[in-house]
Amino acid sequence: VYVAEQEGNRIHKLTTGGEFLGTFGQKGSDVGQFNRPWGINISPEGKVYVADRDNSRIQVFHSDWTLSHIIDGKVSGDGSFTCPEGVAFDMSGDVHVTGYNSNSVTVFTPSGQFVRKYDQTHLKTPIGIAIDSAGYSLVANYSPGSLSIYDPSGRFMHSIRGF
């Protein structure tokens, strides 16, 4: 189990029984440093994907905390995103990243190559994402407190409001 400590700028690792195994990271913008780490997810290959929110990047680590690669949101063009908060994987292993300030969900290959963006019409400060076994995405929007549902191609289906 991995837990992001946003204000402490570090990641804690625990067993499923709650036993503390260690801590990684500190405040900064170098590799292995974080500025408000937010979402964490483990890829099908066992790599740890950390949404490094205020550095606008996803840092990808092996289980021993050595760096695999970085998905940088501060690029020009379609692969850009700002303030990532959610990270999820679809059945093919592609990485879906919510961009809070960019009002986006951007899809990358596991190695970080841009694939596509979701239809952004109904995205407003997305903070979390989950993908079901059929490939449908559920995106939590902070404002206006809604859940947006997307088909496997990233096309908007409908929203549930009132959260």
Side-chain angles (χ1 to χ4, degrees), residues 29-48:
S29 58
D30 290 336
V31 170
Q33 296 180 334
F34 305 103
N35 192 350
R36 297 185 72 208
W38 205 275
I40 301 174
N41 210 332
I42 311 303
S43 74
E45 296 83 28
K47 292 182 180 175
V48 182

Side-chain angles (χ1 to χ4, degrees), residues 1-5 10-16 21-24 38-43 46-50 61-65:
V1 176
Y2 294 91
V3 178
E5 182 186 345
R10 53 192 175 177
I11 308 298
H12 303 287
K13 185 175 180 179
L14 303 103
T15 66
T16 54
L21 296 175
T23 297
F24 178 77
W38 205 275
I40 301 174
N41 210 332
I42 311 303
S43 74
K47 292 182 180 175
V48 182
Y49 284 66
V50 179
F61 299 95
H62 300 283
S63 60
D64 65 357
W65 290 111

Side-chain angles (χ1 to χ4, degrees), residues 22 25 31 66 68 71 73 76 83 89 99 104 111 141 149 151-152 156-157:
V31 170
T66 56
S68 171
I71 302 173
S76 60
C83 296
F89 300 95
S104 64
S111 63
N141 292 291
I149 302 168
D151 73 9
F156 175 77
M157 304 284 296

Side-chain angles (χ1 to χ4, degrees), residues 69 116 140:
H69 61 283
R116 62 183 163 81

Side-chain angles (χ1 to χ4, degrees), residues 14-138:
L14 303 103
T15 66
T16 54
E19 179 184 342
F20 179 77
L21 296 175
T23 297
F24 178 77
Q26 61 183 348
K27 185 170 178 62
S29 58
D30 290 336
V31 170
Q33 296 180 334
F34 305 103
N35 192 350
R36 297 185 72 208
W38 205 275
I40 301 174
N41 210 332
I42 311 303
S43 74
E45 296 83 28
K47 292 182 180 175
V48 182
Y49 284 66
V50 179
D52 189 3
R53 186 186 190 279
D54 289 351
N55 283 324
S56 289
R57 65 186 180 185
I58 304 297
Q59 291 195 66
V60 184
F61 299 95
H62 300 283
S63 60
D64 65 357
W65 290 111
T66 56
L67 182 72
S68 171
H69 61 283
I70 291 175
I71 302 173
D72 189 358
K74 295 178 278 189
V75 297
S76 60
D78 290 334
S80 67
F81 57 85
T82 55
C83 296
E85 293 190 358
V87 181
F89 300 95
D90 61 27
M91 297 303 281
S92 67
D94 284 343
V95 185
H96 299 238
V97 176
T98 62
Y100 181 85
N101 283 356
S102 54
N103 294 312
S104 64
V105 177
T106 310
V107 183
F108 299 92
T109 65
S111 63
Q113 299 299 310
F114 172 77
V115 175
R116 62 183 163 81
K117 281 198 184 280
Y118 282 32
D119 171 7
Q120 293 181 256
T121 308
H122 300 293
L123 290 170
K124 181 68 176 159
T125 57
I127 58 173
I129 184 168
I131 301 173
D132 72 12
S133 60
Y136 288 85
S137 300
L138 305 157

